[in-house]
Amino acid sequence: MDALKDYLGLRANLYRVLAAAWYKEPTNAWLARLKSFTPVFESMADETGEPALREGARLLKEAPGKIDEDAYAKKFAGIFLVNNAASDVRAVTPHESVYLSGSGLVMQDEWDKVLETFVGEGIGKAEDFKEPEDHIAAEMHFLALLSKQTAEYLNNGDKDGVRKKIETQARFLAEHTDKWVEPLKEHMEKLTDDPLYLAVTYLTAGFVHADTAFTGELAGEAVNII
């Protein structure tokens, strides 16, 4: 049980640090925190054999330890905010409905379902987060929060609470986040060759894939955890 609690805490931290890259400009403080997890990502890649996780860990290890924050603010805008008329690849809009709906627009049926899940868990967006709930960062923060709550239920010996939280996370990953991180990764690969952003992209996809498999297995064993 202690090992699971430790993993849940680590898992929440990994989701949060990766999420940050998708909705705000990178800073050196954030980069230092991300790079501090390099051995963790390498270990996970070895344990799971997940190729995207392995490639992301390699790129992160090779990425510089310090960046020009102004230059990366421009890169952020170029990737997420600006559509270049000279390019046939549009800026990345990292929302589930953009990748899974037939329309390619934000706030479609996929957003409705994500919002319904959030509301069902009594979770809302932070006031300063202006994106729809099916933004990749919002989905990862949702998983981080549920991971934290699961650890709290474990501490309290609440078997039913643990089971429900794990099942919710397994279902959400399988029905939502894991279904669209691969096309998101492919879009990013077409739009940028920046090593740091590619590291984040591969780590996000690889970690989500690996976590979906792990959480799905955990949901089947949740009744025996405590």
Side-chain angles (χ1 to χ4, degrees):
M1 189 170 71
D2 288 341
L4 178 57
K5 284 192 290 186
D6 289 343
Y7 175 73
L8 290 168
L10 172 63
R11 177 179 182 264
N13 286 329
L14 294 178
Y15 270 125
R16 290 192 189 101
V17 73
L18 289 170
W22 294 97
Y23 73 95
K24 58 185 178 183
E25 296 88 345
T27 65
N28 279 301
W30 165 81
L31 177 58
R33 179 161 172 75
L34 178 66
K35 285 183 77 71
S36 73
F37 290 115
T38 301
V40 175
F41 288 124
E42 289 181 314
S43 177
M44 286 184 172
D46 289 340
E47 291 175 6
T48 65
E50 171 56 49
L53 197 53
R54 188 181 303 281
E55 178 64 6
R58 183 190 68 79
L59 287 166
L60 181 58
K61 192 172 183 178
E62 295 179 356
K66 196 169 185 179
I67 59 171
D68 180 332
E69 293 183 356
D70 290 338
Y72 267 84
K74 293 177 182 177
K75 288 186 179 184
F76 179 89
I79 293 171
F80 296 108
L81 304 177
V82 178
N83 281 307
N84 187 342
S87 172
D88 59 355
V89 182
R90 295 183 61 81
V92 172
T93 306
H95 299 85
E96 181 177 333
S97 57
V98 169
Y99 290 91
L100 297 187
S101 71
S103 68
L105 300 174
V106 298
M107 301 181 77
Q108 302 302 300
D109 288 346
E110 291 77 12
W111 167 73
D112 285 333
K113 293 173 183 176
V114 169
L115 178 59
E116 182 180 348
T117 302
F118 285 16
V119 171
E121 292 295 315
I123 294 173
K125 294 188 301 181
E127 290 185 5
D128 61 347
F129 188 81
K130 306 303 182 184
E131 299 288 345
E133 283 79 358
D134 67 339
H135 189 283
I136 186 65
E139 293 194 7
M140 289 197 287
H141 273 285
F142 173 72
L143 290 162
L145 181 56
L146 262 62
S147 194
K148 181 174 179 289
Q149 291 175 346
T150 306
E152 291 170 353
Y153 282 125
L154 272 173
N155 279 331
N156 296 330
D158 185 342
K159 292 183 179 182
D160 193 50
V162 169
R163 178 182 58 79
K164 288 180 179 178
K165 290 297 178 183
I166 290 175
E167 289 176 350
T168 297
Q169 291 169 83
R171 185 167 56 251
F172 188 83
L173 279 160
E175 295 179 358
H176 295 285
T177 317
D178 192 54
K179 291 178 69 174
W180 67 285
V181 288
E182 200 62 31
L184 175 63
K185 176 172 76 68
E186 292 169 2
H187 190 170
M188 287 287 285
E189 288 174 311
K190 292 177 182 177
L191 194 63
T192 184
D193 59 0
D194 179 79
L196 180 55
Y197 270 113
L198 287 179
V200 168
T201 299
Y202 277 95
L203 289 172
T204 297
F207 182 56
V208 167
H209 291 329
D211 193 48
T212 300
F214 175 80
T215 308
E217 292 176 4
L218 195 61
E221 302 170 359
V223 70
N224 299 317
I225 288 173
I226 299 178

